[in-house]
Amino acid sequence: MKKGIIALVALAAAAGISMASFFAIKSKSEKETRQEEISAADKVLFELDEASLTKIRIDNSDGSYTAEYTDNSWKMTDSSDDVFDLKQDVFSGICTFLSNLTAHDSYGEANDENKQKYGLNDPYTITVFSGDESHTLYIGDISPTGDYYYAYTSEKNNIYAISASDGESLIFDRINLKNDSFVPYTDNDIVGMTLKKNGDVVYDLTFDTNAGLWQLPEEYSMLTVNQTKPSNMVTLITRLTAEIMYPESDDDMETFNFDEPAAEFIVTGADGTQRTILMSHFGSEAKTYTHTYMTDSKQVEVYYASDLKFIDYEVFDFITQSVENANMYSITDFEINCSGLSDKFTFDSASMKAECRGTEIDLNNAELKSYFETFYNTFSYLNITGIDIDAEPKLEEPVFTAKYTFKDGGSSVIDLVSTGNDNDCYIFIDGEYTGTITDLSFMSGTYSMLSAYENLCRQSDLTPNN
């Protein structure tokens, strides 16, 4: 009986010890959890509403810069004359990173000794404003391993380690705050593009907002502008950003040869503003890179030369470089006169039959149709090889003439008159000089008009009318 009582007492004692251990462990676990929660909460440096951040001040070794978000963009609001366009993604990125910034570790109180130790005695400072509230982050040295930056805030009294990637998303010097876009316009904002070399205008393009077309000056009115070329230029220049941006210097004009620029490019905005950009082929890598000088911001920037190839364009590059005399399916007959060929054809697109000097050509025959179209296309699409708007040629002794009659009863005549320079010819349409030049390479050779004419005659049992 005594043994049973002793065993029961021992069991109760063991149970008491077990319960005590349980509560001790539970208490310790809860304490550790609370400490972890406190530590985790302490490492949350900022929890801000990103959309409410409308003002940012940055203090770095270059100076102090203040920006405010107005009219859907960040703008400098410093009272000094040193105001420049800002790189928008820098400031939107600052709002994103700072609104939810968490540290990785804590390094004790932010006293003078520790600030000196971690490079926080003269920190990079960034302050964001939400209404009347301000929140400041002070950033010091990077850790020896390069993994962290040391920092403290206006709201906590400890020094912390933030990740290097977070730090690099928040630390910017003056040059990296500046807008690095080639032009401060969007696609729809540009209404003019002008290139000058040695003080002379090479080309001057203006966008007619009513017609929705790019135009050359009045003296080029006889030419047709290829709308794709200036449109593609606009798309390019509104998306270009600098590969390199140099700190400003009073010696930039001479240092980079901008006092004698290779070209001057002027972009006009719909609001009447302009950006003038000087171009320089400077340095040993001039074939790869082009240096530019933004005259409004006095900023030197570097771009790939291949992206700025439009500074080598001329008016010729912006015009339609071929002439379609007449679409075959819009005519009823055509006549050709030149050295080695004089003939006339009728054409009925409905029945797909042609006729020449009493001989019918059945174009329902695929082979004959191919020969006929090949012949027709050799002279009905002329390549423009040059322009000369100052020439005043007379329509005399044309070396080639093509006459067309259209289904609607109208007609058109194309005449080529020799320039006196090899095979080059002035192009006349309906008796008017077009300001353009072609050559006679289409008339002779293996795949020429004369060769195609002879092949057609051979297949159609026609005697060539040479």
Side-chain angles (χ1 to χ4, degrees):
M1 184 69 178
K2 285 185 178 180
K3 290 183 179 180
I5 293 173
I6 293 171
L8 182 61
V9 171
L11 182 62
I17 294 171
S18 178
M19 289 296 290
S21 298
F22 169 77
F23 284 114
I25 293 171
K26 181 175 184 295
S27 176
K28 181 180 179 182
S29 176
E30 289 175 347
K31 184 178 180 180
E32 289 176 348
T33 300
R34 284 196 301 273
Q35 288 174 339
E36 289 174 359
E37 289 173 349
I38 291 170
S39 177
D42 181 58
K43 292 175 185 176
V44 177
L45 303 186
F46 293 112
E47 280 188 310
L48 307 172
D49 177 10
E50 180 180 346
S52 72
L53 305 180
T54 57
K55 182 179 177 181
I56 298 172
R57 187 179 69 242
I58 293 173
D59 294 282
N60 59 26
S61 58
D62 296 323
S64 179
Y65 307 94
T66 302
E68 292 189 45
Y69 191 73
T70 58
D71 298 328
N72 298 316
S73 66
W74 288 95
K75 298 180 178 66
M76 278 189 70
T77 55
D78 291 344
S79 58
S80 68
D81 294 332
D82 184 25
V83 175
F84 47 82
D85 290 336
L86 300 173
K87 189 184 295 185
Q88 296 297 308
D89 57 358
V90 164
F91 289 87
S92 59
I94 286 172
C95 291
T96 299
F97 280 95
L98 210 58
S99 63
N100 187 21
L101 183 64
T102 300
H104 286 262
D105 213 339
S106 176
Y107 287 83
E109 184 182 355
N111 54 37
D112 290 343
E113 181 182 352
N114 282 337
K115 287 180 183 179
Q116 179 75 28
K117 180 179 179 181
Y118 295 110
L120 286 160
N121 53 316
D122 185 20
Y124 172 95
T125 303
I126 183 166
T127 304
V128 293
F129 297 81
S130 175
D132 295 331
E133 295 182 356
S134 65
H135 309 272
T136 303
L137 177 69
Y138 304 90
I139 304 176
D141 291 342
I142 193 167
S143 67
T145 60
D147 295 328
Y148 304 103
Y149 278 94
Y150 303 110
Y152 72 99
T153 76
S154 57
E155 299 163 28
K156 293 178 181 289
N157 196 37
N158 284 335
I159 292 175
Y160 301 89
I162 62 173
S163 71
S165 60
D166 283 342
E168 288 161 4
S169 299
L170 296 168
I171 298 175
F172 298 95
D173 57 18
R174 172 191 172 86
I175 200 68
N176 289 317
L177 296 175
K178 301 184 77 171
N179 192 331
D180 60 353
S181 298
F182 186 71
V183 293
Y185 305 112
T186 65
D187 291 6
N188 296 326
D189 293 334
I190 295 178
V191 296
M193 296 183 290
T194 304
L195 181 73
K196 294 182 179 180
K197 289 186 176 180
N198 299 318
D200 297 326
V201 175
V202 178
Y203 59 77
D204 184 18
L205 292 157
T206 304
F207 187 72
D208 185 333
T209 54
N210 293 323
L213 297 172
W214 285 95
Q215 297 179 339
L216 289 164
E218 180 63 27
E219 60 263 34
Y220 296 100
S221 60
M222 63 183 72
L223 306 177
T224 300
V225 176
N226 177 1
Q227 297 297 316
T228 300
K229 203 70 177 248
S231 295
N232 287 346
M233 264 185 67
V234 168
T235 300
L236 170 67
I237 66 177
T238 55
R239 288 159 178 76
L240 277 178
T241 56
E243 298 298 319
I244 302 170
M245 294 179 69
Y246 284 92
E248 307 96 315
S249 170
D250 293 336
D251 300 325
D252 284 343
M253 290 293 287
E254 293 182 2
T255 300
F256 296 100
N257 300 333
F258 291 120
D259 49 348
E260 296 181 2
E264 180 181 349
F265 189 62
I266 304 167
V267 183
T268 303
D271 59 359
T273 60
Q274 288 187 328
R275 164 161 284 190
T276 299
I277 306 163
L278 304 181
M279 314 284 189
S280 172
H281 299 315
F282 170 81
S284 60
E285 294 186 306
K287 290 184 178 180
T288 303
Y289 298 105
T290 296
H291 285 65
T292 67
Y293 183 76
M294 309 300 172
T295 58
D296 53 353
S297 61
K298 296 181 173 57
Q299 178 64 52
V300 177
E301 301 177 0
V302 179
Y303 294 84
Y304 283 110
S306 58
D307 288 335
L308 304 185
K309 60 185 178 182
F310 54 82
I311 68 173
D312 295 319
Y313 289 173
E314 298 180 349
V315 169
F316 178 76
D317 294 293
F318 293 100
I319 67 169
T320 301
Q321 295 180 8
S322 65
V323 176
E324 181 183 11
N325 299 341
N327 185 284
M328 188 175 81
Y329 292 92
S330 68
I331 65 171
T332 58
D333 63 70
F334 63 92
E335 182 178 349
I336 302 297
N337 286 285
C338 63
S339 175
L341 169 58
S342 179
D343 221 335
K344 181 176 181 178
F345 292 78
T346 62
F347 173 63
D348 183 354
S349 60
S351 64
M352 288 302 293
K353 294 184 183 298
E355 187 269 334
C356 178
R357 290 178 277 120
T359 298
E360 183 179 279
I361 306 172
D362 185 4
L363 302 182
N364 291 296
N365 181 304
E367 188 174 13
L368 282 178
K369 179 185 177 185
S370 176
Y371 279 108
F372 186 82
E373 287 181 340
T374 298
F375 165 58
Y376 186 85
N377 289 337
T378 57
F379 60 86
S380 289
Y381 295 89
L382 298 177
N383 290 323
I384 295 175
T385 57
I387 59 175
D388 188 347
I389 63 169
D390 297 321
E392 298 180 354
K394 294 181 179 179
L395 183 48
E396 296 177 350
E397 300 180 358
V399 295
F400 172 86
T401 299
K403 299 179 180 179
Y404 304 88
T405 302
F406 296 99
K407 291 179 179 179
D408 61 6
S411 62
S412 180
V413 180
I414 307 296
D415 290 293
L416 304 183
V417 175
S418 176
T419 66
N421 181 25
D422 297 328
N423 285 328
D424 290 342
C425 293
Y426 299 115
I427 302 175
F428 287 79
I429 297 180
D430 297 331
E432 298 291 332
Y433 173 53
T434 63
T436 57
I437 295 172
T438 189
D439 60 40
L440 298 177
S441 59
F442 71 94
M443 289 183 59
S444 59
T446 304
Y447 302 102
S448 66
M449 179 186 71
L450 294 178
S451 175
Y453 171 71
E454 291 174 355
N455 289 336
L456 174 64
C457 290
R458 188 180 305 111
Q459 297 298 321
S460 305
D461 296 325
L462 269 172
T463 300
N465 196 29
N466 296 332

